[in-house]
Amino acid sequence: MSEDALNDLKTAYKSGSLNLYLGAGVSAASGLPNWKQLVVSMYFRFMNIEHWHSIKPFPNYLYAMGEWYLNKTGESLDIIIRKLKTHLSDEEFLKILYECLYNQFDEVAVRNPFDNALANDLLNEITALAAQPDRKLNSVITYNFDDLLEQSFQSKQIDYTSVFDLGTLPQNGSVPIYHPHGFMPFENPSPTVQSTGNIILSEDDYNSIASNSHYWANLIQTSMLTQGTGLMIGLSFSDRNLRRLIDLIANIPLNTNNYIFLKKNSMPEFTEEDSRQIKQKAEAILDKMRRAAVKVDSAVYENCQTILTELFRMDEQITQRVFDEMRLQPIWFTEYPEITEFVRKIQE
């Protein structure tokens, strides 16, 4: 990983100007669902709520069946969310969201699930950044609904303020933890709009806040992205939160200094079976084009791996240029534990 990036982040941390942006990858290590798993499990929970009234399904089967259904039907996740919102009241929607978000925690067997949750080394290192007595994070902006970070901070007696609406202001001396897309703490099993803020989950939710330049969360993000140094953890290209951040940065006529962890793509193993399947697919497409009276030249490529290897090489160069244009500086990694180690080194 980049030594220049590490040194820059160390300097920002020591001066109290480091902002963290956290995505689903941070909470995933504790067993919480990603966005796709959350949406499909909510839909299954809704469709079978009467049948499952007395039988709580194991979350692994809930996620697995939901993903199977989604893959078979090709249903859009945003459409699924709209279906839920159409048929549920706000309170019912929030209740199902809460149940599916924390579904892996057995409330009977585990009185305080955070005491016994799976070890989350990355979360522990992020907490350690805020626990240094002579240093302080400037802010944390998390796009997760859960309060794993708050629980971790609390366990280390770190002073923090959770901000999820206009009615909450960061307390002096505390680390502000902003939840621009809503907040659903575990100890609030009966969430309401007043206790969660605006839950931003579907495409129409995102479009609504994106078009409102005066929305409090947009103002906070814009401010932080142009002040100090930012480090984005647990966000990916497929994450709409990252895409919104990119759009914000692109429209800010100021110098910015923000880094993001990105997993380096590696050329997958290419077998003879892969080559056979590609050739078979190519022949089927050619046959379809000919039957449609489309004139097309054809050729047989015996070594598809050479072509794909060059494709991956070119893709790396193009990706780097794209991030340069977006004014985001990638920190490339191969395995996820590298992120935890990098965050630990920032404290040194």
Side-chain angles (χ1 to χ4, degrees), residues 231-301:
L231 178 60
M232 302 177 187
I233 309 173
L235 294 160
S236 69
F237 255 142
S238 61
D239 194 319
R240 62 179 64 193
N241 299 312
L242 173 59
R243 296 198 294 273
R244 285 197 64 249
L245 283 173
I246 289 170
D247 289 338
L248 280 173
I249 294 174
N251 292 306
I252 297 173
L254 295 170
N255 291 326
T256 58
N257 190 33
N258 298 293
Y259 295 87
I260 180 171
F261 284 111
L262 286 179
K263 196 172 191 303
K264 187 179 180 65
N265 289 329
S266 58
M267 176 67 188
E269 181 182 357
F270 194 83
T271 65
E272 290 185 6
E273 175 61 18
D274 293 323
S275 181
R276 186 193 67 79
Q277 289 181 7
I278 289 177
K279 182 178 179 181
Q280 186 179 48
K281 183 68 174 178
E283 290 174 347
I285 293 173
L286 179 63
D287 182 62
K288 182 178 181 179
M289 295 174 74
R290 284 173 172 169
R291 283 188 280 110
V294 176
K295 294 183 179 180
V296 58
D297 293 330
S298 64
V300 177
Y301 295 102

Side-chain angles (χ1 to χ4, degrees), residues 21 139 141 163 178 215-225:
Y21 304 82
S139 71
I141 297 177
V163 181
Y178 296 101
Y215 183 62
W216 73 269
N218 290 342
L219 295 174
I220 288 294
Q221 291 173 92
T222 303
S223 174
M224 297 307 171
L225 286 167

Side-chain angles (χ1 to χ4, degrees), residues 35-318:
W35 181 71
K36 177 180 178 180
Q37 292 171 330
L38 180 62
V39 172
V40 295
S41 62
M42 286 177 67
Y43 190 56
F44 259 60
R45 177 65 175 154
F46 163 69
M47 294 294 287
N48 296 274
I49 198 164
E50 293 298 325
H51 175 66
W52 285 346
H53 181 70
S54 60
I55 304 175
K56 184 177 180 180
F58 291 106
N60 57 326
Y61 272 91
L62 187 63
Y63 301 152
M65 287 188 293
E67 290 192 19
W68 177 89
Y69 173 83
L70 183 67
N71 291 333
K72 289 294 183 180
T73 62
E75 184 98 65
S76 163
L77 293 175
D78 286 304
I79 295 300
I80 288 177
I81 300 173
R82 290 196 180 204
K83 286 182 180 180
L84 291 172
K85 287 186 172 181
T86 299
H87 289 86
L88 296 171
S89 67
D90 289 343
E91 289 74 17
E92 290 170 333
F93 180 84
L94 292 174
K95 180 68 173 177
I96 289 181
L97 173 58
Y98 175 89
E99 290 174 352
C100 293
L101 179 64
Y102 294 113
N103 197 36
Q104 81 283 16
F105 294 144
D106 186 338
E107 65 273 15
V108 175
V110 183
R111 296 300 178 186
N112 185 350
F114 297 96
D115 288 342
N116 301 292
L118 295 173
N120 188 331
D121 293 336
L122 177 56
L123 185 63
N124 291 338
E125 293 299 338
I126 291 172
T127 301
L129 283 174
Q132 296 285 352
D134 57 337
R135 303 172 189 176
K136 188 177 289 292
L137 292 173
N138 186 53
S139 71
V140 179
I141 297 177
T142 174
Y143 300 97
N144 302 323
F145 303 132
D146 63 78
D147 64 338
L148 284 180
L149 183 63
E150 279 86 351
Q151 292 285 344
S152 185
F153 275 24
Q154 188 173 329
S155 69
K156 298 298 182 182
Q157 298 182 326
I158 299 171
D159 189 14
Y160 67 87
T161 304
S162 298
V163 181
F164 56 91
D165 60 16
L166 277 173
T168 309
L169 295 176
Q171 300 299 311
N172 289 335
S174 68
V175 179
I177 303 178
Y178 296 101
H179 291 265
H181 293 164
F183 183 42
M184 190 163 284
F186 177 77
E187 294 183 356
N188 180 24
S190 300
T192 64
V193 175
Q194 288 70 36
S195 64
T196 64
N198 291 327
I199 295 295
I200 308 301
L201 185 63
S202 63
E203 185 178 32
D204 56 323
D205 295 329
Y206 282 85
N207 291 339
S208 176
I209 64 172
S211 61
N212 184 358
S213 60
H214 298 293
Y215 183 62
W216 73 269
N218 290 342
L219 295 174
I220 288 294
Q221 291 173 92
T222 303
S223 174
M224 297 307 171
L225 286 167
T226 56
Q227 297 177 25
T229 299
L231 178 60
M232 302 177 187
I233 309 173
L235 294 160
S236 69
F237 255 142
S238 61
D239 194 319
R240 62 179 64 193
N241 299 312
L242 173 59
R243 296 198 294 273
R244 285 197 64 249
L245 283 173
I246 289 170
D247 289 338
L248 280 173
I249 294 174
N251 292 306
I252 297 173
L254 295 170
N255 291 326
T256 58
N257 190 33
N258 298 293
Y259 295 87
I260 180 171
F261 284 111
L262 286 179
K263 196 172 191 303
K264 187 179 180 65
N265 289 329
S266 58
M267 176 67 188
E269 181 182 357
F270 194 83
T271 65
E272 290 185 6
E273 175 61 18
D274 293 323
S275 181
R276 186 193 67 79
Q277 289 181 7
I278 289 177
K279 182 178 179 181
Q280 186 179 48
K281 183 68 174 178
E283 290 174 347
I285 293 173
L286 179 63
D287 182 62
K288 182 178 181 179
M289 295 174 74
R290 284 173 172 169
R291 283 188 280 110
V294 176
K295 294 183 179 180
V296 58
D297 293 330
S298 64
V300 177
Y301 295 102
E302 298 297 338
N303 192 356
C304 293
Q305 184 171 8
T306 300
I307 300 172
L308 291 174
T309 300
E310 179 64 13
L311 173 66
F312 268 80
R313 187 191 67 79
M314 293 177 61
D315 181 68
E316 288 182 2
Q317 296 178 354
I318 295 172

